[in-house]
Amino acid sequence: MRAYWQLTLAQLRIFGRNRQVLFFTLLFPIILMLALGSFIGGGNTGTINIGMTDASNNESSSKLMDVFLSNEGISTEIFDTVEKGKEAVEKGDIQLLMEIPKGYKVEEGTSTRIPVYYNEKI
């Protein structure tokens, strides 16, 4: 076991003496990551375009809509009717449509189904 450690230590010493190996092993990947990250990165560019209709018009539905409107990764458009929203989905203006149904409430222990429409062809 002692011979193994001596061999490992000798290899590390050889590795540390060669400056080119140190540069391309340790510094070059970091420099490459920083360069590509600054040129290509540009932050979070992935957004989803959704539409929402609110048939309930109560406090619970307003809170739900505020969650989607305040999210930076989601571009939300409000539609007056479900039909107008479905047309926008078919045209490709939005990726999906959420319909908040009449009587939508958030109560502990209950659940409400929210219809979501999307275009399967896209």
Side-chain angles (χ1 to χ4, degrees):
M1 185 71 170
R2 185 173 175 186
Y4 176 76
W5 285 112
Q6 287 178 347
L7 183 61
T8 302
L9 195 58
Q11 289 296 323
L12 286 174
R13 286 184 188 139
I14 293 170
F15 178 78
R17 288 181 188 147
N18 191 343
R19 293 186 188 267
Q20 281 184 329
V21 171
L22 283 175
F23 174 77
F24 283 104
T25 303
L26 301 175
L27 293 177
F28 185 72
I30 294 171
I31 294 169
L32 189 64
M33 282 189 296
L34 292 174
L36 290 176
S38 65
F39 291 129
I40 297 173
N44 184 8
T45 58
T47 59
I48 183 169
N49 299 322
I50 69 165
M52 295 185 82
T53 62
D54 187 6
S56 188
N57 288 325
N58 61 22
E59 184 180 348
S60 295
S61 66
S62 295
K63 285 182 181 179
L64 178 63
M65 290 184 72
D66 288 341
V67 167
F68 285 95
L69 290 169
S70 65
N71 191 322
E72 294 178 8
I74 301 173
S75 174
T76 308
E77 187 175 339
I78 308 299
F79 292 97
D80 296 330
T81 63
V82 176
E83 288 76 25
K84 288 182 182 178
K86 285 182 180 180
E87 287 176 12
V89 170
E90 289 176 8
K91 288 180 188 175
D93 296 336
I94 58 174
Q95 294 168 331
L96 61 92
L97 174 70
M98 291 178 55
E99 175 189 359
I100 301 175
K102 281 188 176 182
Y104 172 78
K105 289 183 185 177
V106 177
E107 295 177 350
E108 191 171 330
T110 63
S111 63
T112 304
R113 291 184 183 252
I114 298 178
V116 176
Y117 305 98
Y118 61 95
N119 192 348
E120 293 180 1
K121 296 176 184 176
I122 297 178

